[in-house]
Every structure is written in C-alpha cells, then in structure tokens.
Amino acid sequence: MPPANKRRKTTSEVEEAGPSAIIFASPALQPDVRLMIFDREIHCHSVLLKLHSAYFRKFLDSPDKAPASRAAIFRYDYVSVIDEDKTWALVAAAKAPPLTEEMSSRLTLKQKDSQFWLFEKLLCAIYTRPYRLNRSSELMELVDLADFYCALPAVSATIINAIIDSDMMKWEGDSIGHPKFDFGDSAHKILLYAAKLRNPVLFRECFIHTVGRWESIQNGGLDIDIRQKPEILRLVLIEYIECCKLIMQIDQYLMSMFWEQGNILRQSSLPHHDVQLHDLMNGDDYGMKNPGLYHQINKMLKQLLSSGLVLERTGFRTGEDDGPFRDYFLCAEIDDEAMPFPLDEVDW
C-alpha cells in the first residue's frame, strides 16, 4: 500500500496554526513570509530576508514564481523539502512535492529539532536578535547553513556575542569527567569557518590556538580541510616556525645563563627545580652574574608567555597545571592586514 500523503497547510489556515508559530516581530511591519519547517511555522519579513540573504533576494521574487492571491495572508509561503541524501531546503509551497511518510522519515525527530532551531538562530542573526551557540559543532553547522542561504555577513556580525561565555568557551568535565575545552580542541576546524565568515576576531582566536597546538594537531592527523586551504596553512606554518625560533632562542639563552651562574641558583632561596618560566619572568634576577642576559631572557619570556586571546574565559595561563593551556603557548600573532580575506566587503 503506498504511503499516505500529508496535506500541507495553506495560508488560509494560519490563524489556526498561529499560536504555535514563532513570529519575528518588527516595528511597523507585518510578517509577509511563512516558512513551514518540519511542521513548525515561522513568520517573518521578506524585506529583512532580502536585505541579509542573497538566496532570498533571488528566489522570493523569481520570474517563475506565481504571485500570491489577494486573499492570501502571506505573500510568500515556503515549506521544507527533505531530499534523499537527508539534506533539506526551502521550496515555494506551490511547487513543493507532496509530503509523504517516506520523505518525513528521512530525518529523525531529533535531527528535525536540531535543524529547526539552527535555522531559527540564522533568523536571529538576520534580525540581530540574541542567540547562543554552546557547541563548536553548532557554530560550524550554522556557518554552513548561512553559506547555503548566502547570509554569511549576518552571522559574522553576530557570532562573537553568540559564543562568548557559552559552554564551548569553558574548561569543564565531559560526560565521564575528563576535562574538555570544546573551542580550543576544535579551533583548527573553526579556523576555516572563521575565514568563511571573514571575521578577524574569531579567525585570530582560532589561529592562536591552532599555532599553539600545531604539533599535537599534526600528530593526531592533519585535517584534510586545512590542506585544501593553502593560504591558511601557509600562515599557520609561518607563525609556528616563528614561535619555534623564539623557544630555541630562549633555550640558548637559558643554557648560557645556567652555565655562567654555576652554583648561584642552587644557593638561592628558590629551589632549582622550582625555577619555572613564570618564576623567571616575574621574579628577581636571582643574583645573576650577567643581569643583562637575565633581562634579555625575561623580555623573550614575556613574549612567549603572552596571550592574544580576547574570548578566553577559563582563567588559566599558559603552562598552568590542570588547565587547557598546560602544553602549548598562546603567543601567535596575526595582523588584520595578513588575514586571508578582505575586510572591507559588506556582502559575499
């Protein structure tokens, strides 16, 4: 027996469905767009969709689209269609294929919920409404969705407020109690999405983590995506080499310092094994025979232990035990002029 077709709701039924719909209100504007996404309604405004999305600019008033009737409550009526590959897209309701049980079953209820709320966050970005991204996977999925709907500038303008102080920026235990720093662990992947968004703040934040963790990233298997972005890979490798050179210089100076000092460090009040990088940077000169050498080391240590992170909320320093930065440095730098994307374009 063939699967039964579900009748799609028409615009005349909006009053019945209205109370359950998500309505994006705007002063002096009445919603003229209804989006039916997996049996959930969103009411919004074509003027804002067209302003912030090249996709809607092109398709809402496409030449082959039949105009809405005068009796229609909404000028534009779109529904979601789930393809066989489990992707989905919005299609004009008048041209959408019948919704069958087989089509509906291509996504689970959990997947539909996730995709619906992701699209709702995209609309929040378009309307400059607050929204939250608690996982790095959400961030990357939202960027992909914004890329499909040609609304990357809207997400780029709102992404920082969506992730700052979110769960992905925290250092906390996972489901089995192991410490996890979602943003730092995924920064080398988010880096490519930051470039797609052309967001210098997010790109720089990811860049610093990626350079600092580059050795472990390579040991864990280089992501194929970053290999396909040679301009980004080149920037990472150049800065990684600069950081390695700085570490080698410090090592050479430290060897010279310890050679000159002889037993002075062992005779000082600070035990030899406790002379750590932060101690050398913040302490006195430990009675150095060559204070000029010490101050040169101190200057380089300040550079090595510096951090250009602006979204960091864990409260840990580089090298601090039990923290997310225990095994890597955060001193990588990249100027706006070196960003692998133009900063002066407003639509892309």
Side-chain angles (χ1 to χ4, degrees), residues 82-307:
I82 307 172
D83 294 326
E84 292 183 358
D85 62 358
K86 298 185 178 182
T87 60
W88 67 277
L90 289 169
V91 177
K95 294 187 175 183
L99 178 62
T100 65
E101 292 290 349
E102 188 276 331
M103 181 191 293
S104 182
S105 66
R106 291 171 185 170
L107 292 179
T108 65
L109 288 176
K110 184 177 181 181
Q111 288 172 326
K112 290 176 183 177
D113 281 345
S114 174
Q115 290 297 306
F116 177 83
W117 292 118
L118 196 66
F119 190 87
E120 193 250 358
K121 289 174 182 179
L122 176 60
L123 289 179
C124 285
I126 288 174
Y127 278 78
T128 63
R129 304 279 174 82
Y131 63 97
R132 179 70 67 194
L133 298 170
N134 282 314
R135 299 189 305 276
S136 60
S137 58
E138 279 186 313
L139 185 156
M140 292 183 278
E141 288 173 3
L142 179 61
V143 175
D144 283 337
L145 187 66
D147 192 18
F148 179 83
Y149 285 102
C150 306
L152 288 170
V155 172
S156 181
T158 57
I159 194 74
I160 299 302
N161 285 336
I163 67 173
I164 197 166
D165 295 323
S166 71
D167 290 347
M168 80 170 78
M169 307 303 295
K170 297 177 182 177
W171 172 246
E172 56 188 6
D174 59 16
S175 58
I176 57 176
H178 293 160
K180 181 178 177 61
F181 180 35
D182 186 16
F183 184 86
D185 294 341
S186 305
H188 62 292
K189 299 177 182 179
I190 302 174
L191 182 69
L192 305 182
Y193 290 84
K196 189 179 289 188
L197 289 174
R198 302 186 184 183
N199 187 300
V201 175
L202 183 60
F203 187 89
R204 183 175 290 109
E205 201 84 1
C206 294
F207 183 81
I208 291 170
H209 286 290
T210 301
V211 172
R213 298 168 64 116
W214 189 244
E215 185 174 349
S216 63
I217 291 170
Q218 287 183 303
N219 291 339
L222 187 62
D223 284 70
I224 189 67
D225 289 342
I226 201 167
R227 286 180 178 175
Q228 295 173 350
K229 299 293 182 180
E231 69 280 10
I232 296 178
L233 180 60
R234 176 178 172 274
L235 290 172
V236 170
L237 291 177
I238 289 175
E239 190 61 19
Y240 175 69
I241 292 171
E242 289 300 313
C243 291
C244 289
K245 286 166 61 177
L246 178 61
I247 293 171
M248 291 176 63
Q249 283 182 307
I250 293 173
D251 282 343
Q252 291 175 346
Y253 277 112
L254 284 173
M255 290 178 65
S256 298
M257 182 184 74
F258 291 136
W259 179 265
E260 289 187 11
Q261 284 305 108
N263 294 324
I264 290 181
L265 279 175
R266 288 194 293 271
Q267 296 170 359
S268 70
S269 60
L270 186 68
H272 182 76
H273 65 275
D274 284 338
V275 180
Q276 302 294 331
L277 295 183
H278 284 289
D279 297 326
L280 284 170
M281 187 178 74
N282 298 320
D284 57 26
D285 61 8
Y286 303 111
M288 296 291 170
K289 292 180 178 178
N290 187 346
L293 178 62
Y294 167 78
H295 290 299
Q296 180 64 31
I297 294 173
N298 184 275
K299 179 181 178 181
M300 289 189 295
L301 282 175
K302 284 183 179 180
Q303 180 182 350
L304 182 65
L305 297 174
S306 65
S307 170

